[in-house]
Structure formats: C-alpha cells, structure tokens
C-alpha cells in the first residue's frame, strides 16, 4: 500500500519561545545536528509529500520566513499576526487554504525529532479509522508541562493542558504531542468554536478533541512507538537533550550501515553528512554540513570537518577543515588547519601545524611541517620544506604563487607572491624568493654566510668551551 498523501501539513512556528530566553534567535531557528528545529520538522513534513505545506509564522516572521525559503522553497509561510494560541494558529493556516478537503496534519515547529515515518503511520491510522481527529500521543516518564490525554473507558475524551490540570490529571503519563491528523472540514468547524477560557487565555488546539467528542465525531489516538520522537523543545535544556537523542540516532544509522564510530558519545554528525561503509570515526569528531567521507578513510580523533570531501583511504587526524577536498589516500594532521578552497591531491600530505587556504596541492605533493600555503597552485610530486610561508598578502592585495611538478622548496623559504617556481626547481633553505625560478634552477635569495675566524677568543676571552654548557640557565 502506498502512503496516503495528506491535503496539507500545517507547521506551527509563530510563537516567540520565551523559555529559550534568546534576544537574537527565534525558538524554531535554534540548530541541532545540522538543521534548525524548523528545518528538521519541515523535512519530516515534506516526507509526507503533502499537497500544501504551510508554516504559520508570527514572532520574528522575516527571519523565520527567510529561513523557510532556504530550506524548503515550496513551503508557504502564513502570518499569524498575534499569537493567540495553537488553535488560532491552525485557523489562520486553514483560512489561507480555502476549500480544503481530506486530511490535515498539524505539527509543532519545536518537535525536531519527529520522523516522516511516524507522521505517515499517523495518517494511515487516521484514515483507516475514518476519524475526525487522530492525536499522536506518547507515554513519558516525566510528563510535566505537556497536555494530558484523558481517556474514558479507553477512548480519548479530552486533552487538558498542564497549567489547567488538577493533581489527578497531572498524574496521567500519556501526553498530547501537538501532532494531529484531522479531517479538514470537521477541523474548520471546531476551530470556530474555540474559547480562551483557560489558564493561558489562548485558543488551544487541544480543545478540538473535546469539541469533536461532544459533536459525536470519532476521535482516536495513536501512541508513538518511540516516545522520544515526539519531544517538544521549549528551553535550552530540552534543546541539548533533543540534540543528544538525534546524535544517537544519526550515529546508530551510520553504524548499522557499516561505519565504525568508536565513541558515539563524543561524535557529532550532522544529518546531511554522508559516510561510506568502512569509514572509521575516532572519538571527538564533529562532521558538519555536506561533508562526505569515502570508504576506508579514517577521521579523528579530535577532528572537525565542515562541507569537506574526504577521499578513499585518506587519514585526517586532529585537524580542522572547512570547504576542503582531501584526495584519496591523502594524509592530513595532526594539528592541521585547512580552509575553504583547499584541494589536496591523491596521496598528498598536509602535516603538523600546517595551514592551507584556497590552494591546490598536487598528487603526491607534501607540505609536511609548520607551513602556511595561501592562494597557491602546487603541482605533483613536489615537497615544501618545513616552515615555508607562501607570502600571499602585500598588505593590500592577495597574490597567487605557482609551484610546478617535482619541485623542492627548501625549509624556511618565503615565496613572495606573485611568483612562479618552474618544474623540478629547487629553492635554497632560508631564501626569500621574490623572482620567478625557472624550471630546473636553484633559487637562492639569502645573504652569503661568512665565518669570522678567532672571533670568540678575541671578543669573549674568558669563555671556556667546556664551561659553556654549564653556564646555560
Ligand atoms: C503544546 C500543546 C500541549 C502539548 C505540547 C507538546 C496546546 C495548547 N498545547 O504545548 O498539549 O503537550 O505542545 O509539545 O496546543 N504556536 C503558534 N502560535 C501560537 C502559539 C503557539 O504558532 O499562537 C506554535 C509555537 O511556535 C510552537 C507550537 O505552536 O511551535 C507549540 O506551542 P508551545 O507554546 O510550545 O506549546 P506547549 O506549551 O509546548
Ligand atoms: Ca512546545
């Protein structure tokens, strides 16, 4: 059976999220595992392939709408001018979708762990029952704060908000998750009858349950199989809890697909990261954005990769890379900082305390120690000696350096850009290279050494060669 396609999904995202106590970020735009809360919810909603995907915005609407346009351009933002409650928010959404028939799914914007599979299951249960309302509920060990599901002889009779509940009702551990499937026409009718006669003075969506019940319509509940999925995030403690749960889910999915994650507790992988089977991720890694790691590669320990592509059997150890391509079999780290636009060729090396920016390092070329490479093209099979600096900035403009194939850059060379080093050329250690070095030549750019005979006995007559070591502090 193919999954039924709902007429609409309405995502509620107009609230301010006062409990987050943020001056800059609306609640639904707080990030976890590579997406905002809203990004996760919209992705799950999109998984149902609804005819309409509507997000109700209000607080910080420009910011939220702009973000929505980035993550799901086909979704539509509908403005709820005043945040008069979840029921009012749904009414505003439906008024923007006249003549809607069929199933409407409502999802809160602060439930980032929800999956499309759970939403699809809810729709299936709802349509099979021919219900007016189907609630997604969850049994939680600590239901504090949530609306409680009141049952009468097994069937749901009402949802009572925590703030409106008496002690007996608060003892109920089955909660409303703010996820529903509704019949569009029945929903619209009940939304007209909501009152603000409650502890928060708001139009509660939860009251639709009691209204449908009173009207003799079918109300069913679907208890979430994985209760954590329904978790709502109201403050930053819950945000970190949700992040931890999502981290566990993402890591477990990769492990089941053949990735070795040595320490899930210290490994953070964004949802859009791709890892091939037989990748190994050591403790203390963060893999962000659109990072991809090919088969047999080893990442970590203590490595952060953002939007980085790691080739087969490459090793990236204790390093920080953003916007980088690491070729197959390449060797990076430890303590290596690779910045956007860096492309390391196959079997190349960027070693300890090396920083590279917007540069290409050719196949098999090596930058093994303590160097800065900026705005450069390095050919194949070249070696850049320790402590070399590609001097790319003249204080006003950036310039490029080109190094050919099979070049040997001596240790502590300053390559003052723009400059070009031809194939097979050498530079002498300690050189400041300001002019091009032709292919096959040795570039020397340093003062000649001279030795002053007898200087020590003339200028330091009391020095005894044997005492010198002892005089050191
Ligand atoms: C809500 C439910 C509660 C449920 C819980 C699950 C109601 C009245 N309460 O409580 O039964 O247990 O979710 O997490 O529905 N929003 C709007 N416009 C508004 C008000 C809220 O768009 O006028 C949005 C918020 O941005 C948020 C969502 O609706 O994304 C839920 O609102 P929130 O204030 O978090 O409700 P809870 O108190 O968590
Ligand atoms: Ca909430």
């Amino acid at each position: 059976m193919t999954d039924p396609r709902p007429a609409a999904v309405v995502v509620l995202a107009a609230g301010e999220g006062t409990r987050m106590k943020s001056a800059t970020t609306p609640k639904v735009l707080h990030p976890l595992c590579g997406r905002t809360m809203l990004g996760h919810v919209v992705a799950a909603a999109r998984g149902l392939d609804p005819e309409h995907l509507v997000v109700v915005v209000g607080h910080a609407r420009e910011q939220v709408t702009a973000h929505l346009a980035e993550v799901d351009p086909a979704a539509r933002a509908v403005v709820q001018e005043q945040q008069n409650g979840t029921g009012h928010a749904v009414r505003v959404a439906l008024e923007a979708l006249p003549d809607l028939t069929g199933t409407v799914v409502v999802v809160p914007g602060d439930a980032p762990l929800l999956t499309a599979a759970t939403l699809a299951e809810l729709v299936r249960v709802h349509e099979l029952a021919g219900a007016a309302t189907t609630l997604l509920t969850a049994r939680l060990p600590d239901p504090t704060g949530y609306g409680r599901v009141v049952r009468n002889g097994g069937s749901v009779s009402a949802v009572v908000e925590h703030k409106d509940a008496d002690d007996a009702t608060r003892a109920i551990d089955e909660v409303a998750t703010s996820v529903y499937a509704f019949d569009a026409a029945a929903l619209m009718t009940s939304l007209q009858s909501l009152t603000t006669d409650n502890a928060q003075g708001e139009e509660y969506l939860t009251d639709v349950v009691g209204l449908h019940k009173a009207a003799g319509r079918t109300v069913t509940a679907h208890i979430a199989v994985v209760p954590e999925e329904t978790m709502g995030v109201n403050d930053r403690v819950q945000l970190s809890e949700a992040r931890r749960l999502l981290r566990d889910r993402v890591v477990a999915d990769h492990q089941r697909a053949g990735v070795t994650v040595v320490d899930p507790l210290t490994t953070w992988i964004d949802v859009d990261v791709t890892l091939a089977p037989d990748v190994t991720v050591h403790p203390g890694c963060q893999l962000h954005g659109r990072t991809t790691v090919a088969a047999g590669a080893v990442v970590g320990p203590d490595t952060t990769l953002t939007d980085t592509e790691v080739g087969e059997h490459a090793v990236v150890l204790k390093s920080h890379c953003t916007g980088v391509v690491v070729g197959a079999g390449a060797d990076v780290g430890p303590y290596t900082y690779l910045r956007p636009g860096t492309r390391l060729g196959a079997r190349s090396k960027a070693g300890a305390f090396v920083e590279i920016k917007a540069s290409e390092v050719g196949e098999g070329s090596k930058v093994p120690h303590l160097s800065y490479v900026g705005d450069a093209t390095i050919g194949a099979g070249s070696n850049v000696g320790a402590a070399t600096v590609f001097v790319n900035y003249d204080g006003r403009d950036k310039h490029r350096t080109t190094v050919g194939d099979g070049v040997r850059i001596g240790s502590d060379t300053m390559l003052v850009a723009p400059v070009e080093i031809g194939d097979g050329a050498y530079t002498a250690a300690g050189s400041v290279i300001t002019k091009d070095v032709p292919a096959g030549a040795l570039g020397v750019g340093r003062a000649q050494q001279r030795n002053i005979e007898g200087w020590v006995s003339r200028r330091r007559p009391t020095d005894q060669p044997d005492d010198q070591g002892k005089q050191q502090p």
Side-chain angles (χ1 to χ4, degrees), residues 3 28 30 33 47 53 110 144 168 212 237 255 291 345 380 382 409 412 423 429 460-461:
D3 286 337
V28 294
H30 282 263
C33 301
L53 203 172
D110 63 356
T144 309
H212 278 171
V237 175
Q255 289 174 317
T291 292
S382 290
I409 302 291
D412 198 32
D423 291 344
R460 301 281 189 276

Side-chain angles (χ1 to χ4, degrees), residues 37 53 79 87 91 111 120 124 161 170 201 340 362 367 435 445 453:
M37 281 206 249
L53 203 172
V79 176
R91 180 145 57 83
R124 203 159 20 224
E161 285 306 291
R170 285 186 180 179
V367 189
K435 295 189 205 114
E453 295 294 340

